[in-house]
Amino acid sequence: MPDDGAARAASTDPLAALATFLSIGAARDLLRTVTGEPTIAFADAQATAYAPGDLLTAHDDRVAGKRRKAAYVLSVTNGIASARYPAPRLIAGIR
């Protein structure tokens, strides 16, 4: 996913469209309000598909150059997820 706004705008990737949506206007203002971080300027995004039994491993959201203020997880499902088999997750940072 490109960090550059123009490259994102030119992308046909739905994930780029989501990240762009979260980075501007009312959506960005909502993120600023919810987190209490008025300096949020940019939403990053990454899509990760999990199969039954997969787990998110230990990780560190402090990525050099990203200046992250908060992180979010957006879970999506095709209707078969359950408590035993969680839905895939969209994991990303907000800067």
Side-chain angles (χ1 to χ4, degrees):
M1 157 103 43
D3 284 348
D4 177 69
R8 275 191 186 182
S11 175
T12 59
D13 184 337
L15 189 59
L18 174 64
T20 297
F21 170 76
L22 293 173
S23 295
I24 61 175
R28 183 185 59 201
D29 292 343
L30 176 64
L31 294 173
R32 289 173 173 171
T33 299
V34 167
T35 62
E37 275 292 341
T39 61
I40 290 174
F42 182 85
D44 207 0
Q46 167 191 323
T48 305
Y50 290 94
D54 287 351
L55 301 170
L56 178 63
T57 60
H59 67 284
D60 189 336
D61 285 326
R62 292 174 289 196
V63 178
K66 290 288 188 176
R67 302 178 319 277
R68 289 184 174 154
K69 307 286 184 188
Y72 68 93
V73 176
L74 173 64
S75 295
V76 294
T77 180
N78 62 3
I80 62 169
S82 68
R84 184 170 177 183
Y85 301 111
R89 296 176 182 266
L90 174 69
I91 302 171
I94 300 170
R95 324 185 245 162

